[in-house]
Amino acid sequence: MLLMALTATGCTNSKTGTTSSEAPADTTMTTDTIASDSLDESEKLIAEEPMSAAVDELFDDFIFNFAANRKLQLERIRFPLLVNSGEEKEYIERKEWKHEHFFMRQDYYTLIFDKPEQIDLVKDTALTQAVVEKIFLSEHFVRQYIFNRENGRWMLTEIRNQTLPRNPNAQFLGFYEQFVTDSVFQRESLDDQIDFVGPDPDDDFAQMEGVITPDFWDAFCPELPTGMIFNIVYGQQNPATTQKVFIIRGIANGLEVELTFKLHNGRWKLTKMST
């Protein structure tokens, strides 16, 4: 069954990543270069909400509050904050810290999982460590923000700067960069039949399922972020995995796109898309 009913924006209008960050000039840079310091609506809503005692139960709840609330952010950083760039190490003092907005100044963020079962980790209240990754694809550079739960409170305890080859997702990220910037490569990286699951346009409460063939991919391809993307690591990553689930998740807009890639004979192929 070939699905033809989905309205898509097409692959040529790719998202360019957040506008609040620049590619790093060097590996010691630790904060965003902000063009404007005014909060967007999503940040305002979160910052104005009273802080719940339950904000530390789920890391997702915490990180949105951490990104939007200046006071909370300063309270939840272990100063002086270690910035670890391998052989080079430095410390940031409280007075030197600039507010880190992460993905709050765009309408989505991205997640990379090794398998579908890992998606449930976002609901795990027993997590003791989580890592927010800011991935500069074209610069082959990753900035990791290490959060640990200490005495029941999430704290930013370290920033690690690393070259992309040292990241557990290095192979997939190299593939993804080419997938979203090279249309010929993208077409060659599609499975013969891509399983599709999405909302039924004729029934708001139903899902429709089928397959998409490469010939019809342009009609279904969602906007895919380029340049700089985020990832949140909940627990461990497996560098040897032969499957990746790439998720584009909207911030307060209901957007959810899930792309499943599998490694076939040394090449990643898109095998499934859910919206």
Side-chain angles (χ1 to χ4, degrees), residues 179-213:
F179 184 82
V180 296
T181 57
D182 184 334
S183 59
V184 175
F185 180 80
Q186 184 177 108
R187 184 62 64 92
E188 293 173 348
S189 302
L190 303 175
D191 206 15
D192 292 338
Q193 290 190 335
I194 302 165
D195 293 331
F196 174 79
V197 179
D200 188 336
D202 299 321
D203 186 344
D204 293 340
F205 302 99
Q207 294 278 91
M208 61 181 189
E209 300 182 11
V211 298
I212 304 169
T213 61

Side-chain angles (χ1 to χ4, degrees), residues 45-197:
L45 288 173
I46 293 174
E48 291 171 359
E49 283 290 320
M51 288 295 298
S52 167
V55 72
D56 287 297
E57 289 187 11
L58 292 177
F59 181 75
D60 277 14
D61 291 341
F62 164 78
I63 195 61
F64 277 93
N65 280 275
F66 181 89
N69 190 311
R70 293 176 184 276
K71 180 180 178 182
L72 176 69
Q73 187 165 125
L74 287 171
E75 290 175 350
R76 296 303 186 89
I77 299 175
R78 186 199 292 162
F79 290 112
L81 180 64
L82 171 64
V83 181
N84 188 343
S85 302
E87 295 183 357
E88 296 183 8
K89 294 179 175 60
E90 63 176 330
Y91 289 87
I92 299 178
E93 300 292 342
R94 180 187 176 96
K95 64 182 180 181
E96 299 171 320
W97 180 257
K98 295 181 181 179
H99 188 78
E100 173 58 74
H101 298 268
F102 293 117
F103 37 73
M104 292 301 295
R105 295 204 164 168
Q106 57 190 30
D107 59 0
Y108 69 97
Y109 62 104
T110 50
L111 298 166
I112 304 171
F113 295 101
D114 293 334
K115 52 188 178 181
E117 293 80 4
Q118 284 187 334
I119 298 174
D120 290 336
L121 287 174
V122 303
K123 303 174 184 177
D124 187 355
T125 59
L127 283 178
T128 58
Q129 185 179 87
V131 181
V132 178
E133 295 184 317
K134 188 182 293 184
I135 302 165
F136 299 88
L137 292 168
S138 58
E139 288 75 19
H140 300 164
F141 176 82
V142 180
R143 181 171 298 126
Q144 296 181 318
Y145 297 79
I146 315 299
F147 292 86
N148 288 283
R149 200 202 301 258
E150 301 177 346
N151 298 319
R153 290 158 45 101
W154 285 105
M155 299 288 295
L156 174 60
T157 59
E158 182 182 351
I159 292 175
R160 295 176 191 163
N161 293 315
Q162 63 179 197
T163 57
L164 186 60
R166 296 182 64 85
N167 188 273
N169 282 323
Q171 183 189 31
F172 174 75
L173 290 169
F175 158 80
Y176 176 81
E177 181 192 3
Q178 189 171 1
F179 184 82
V180 296
T181 57
D182 184 334
S183 59
V184 175
F185 180 80
Q186 184 177 108
R187 184 62 64 92
E188 293 173 348
S189 302
L190 303 175
D191 206 15
D192 292 338
Q193 290 190 335
I194 302 165
D195 293 331
F196 174 79
V197 179

Side-chain angles (χ1 to χ4, degrees), residues 42 105 112 219 253 275:
S42 295
R105 295 204 164 168
I112 304 171
N253 61 12
T275 63

